[in-house]
Each structure stands twice: as C-alpha cells, then as structure tokens.
Amino acid sequence: MAEISFDDFLKVDIRVGEVTRAEAFPEARKPAIKMWIDFGPEIGERKTSAQITAHYDPATLVGKQVMAVVNFPPRQIGKFMSEVLVLGLPDENGEIVLIGPDGKVPLGGRMH
C-alpha cells in the first residue's frame, strides 16, 4: 500500500450530497444508474452514474445522502457526462454499497 501525506489527502474533496433524481442507464456497458446530486449552494447539483443496480433502484435513491469526490475532472460515459465520483464499498459478492452519513447533515459538508 502506497503512503500519502496528509496534504495529499486534503487534495481529495469529498462532500455529502443528496440524490435529487435518478434513472436507469441502459446505454451503459454494465447495468448502472444515473444520479443527479445536490451538494448545496457552494457546489450545486452534479451528475454521475454508478454500477449500483444490485442494491439500489432509481426510486429508492431519491432523498438519500451520499459521499462523493467532487474535484475530479468530468468523465464521458457513453452519451452521459459524469461530474463526480460517488463512494461505496463492495459487499461479499463485490456489489457496491454506497457510503453516506448515519444521519442527515447539511449538504456540501466536507469530509474531514
């Protein structure tokens, strides 16, 4: 495992946002969901896609708070531009479970 400095860690801007809209992404190579996430007034709404269909469907994601890296450059995924990277962990089958706060927190809060 490569070591990084605390300054390196601080370069990664991880914020909490709330999913405002979600829909299936059938054009993706692997099953995925498109999400629009509100990160509060400083950052605003950003969109992303994630291969999370094993544990989530679009209807259950709306209103969910999630953690995401907000300072990566946008990435083209098919015809969809992904602007943030949502964070998750693999379950025992390798399927992603999203990371979010245990309770509601203000949108845009930065992880420390």
Side-chain angles (χ1 to χ4, degrees), residues 98-109:
L98 295 172
I99 296 173
D102 284 343
K104 288 281 187 183
V105 297
L107 299 181

Side-chain angles (χ1 to χ4, degrees), residues 17-86:
E18 185 172 299
V19 179
T20 58
R21 182 174 143 206
E23 60 187 51
F25 190 9
E27 305 92 338
R29 282 189 305 236
K30 294 183 180 179
I33 296 174
K34 296 178 191 176
M35 292 180 282
W36 287 258
I37 304 169
D38 180 7
F39 291 96
E42 182 183 339
I43 296 171
E45 186 176 75
R46 301 278 177 92
K47 58 188 177 180
T48 190
S49 71
Q51 296 170 0
I52 56 172
T53 56
H55 292 289
Y56 306 96
D57 65 64
T60 63
L61 286 167
V62 175
K64 181 172 184 58
Q65 287 193 326
V66 296
M67 301 301 293
V69 177
V70 298
N71 64 335
F72 280 144
R75 183 173 166 204
Q76 190 77 39
I77 301 176
K79 294 181 180 180
F80 189 74
M81 185 64 73
S82 183
E83 300 169 320
V84 298
L85 174 68
V86 291

Side-chain angles (χ1 to χ4, degrees), residues 88-100:
L89 295 166
D91 67 10
E92 62 277 355
N93 297 314
E95 301 292 346
I96 300 300
V97 176
L98 295 172
I99 296 173

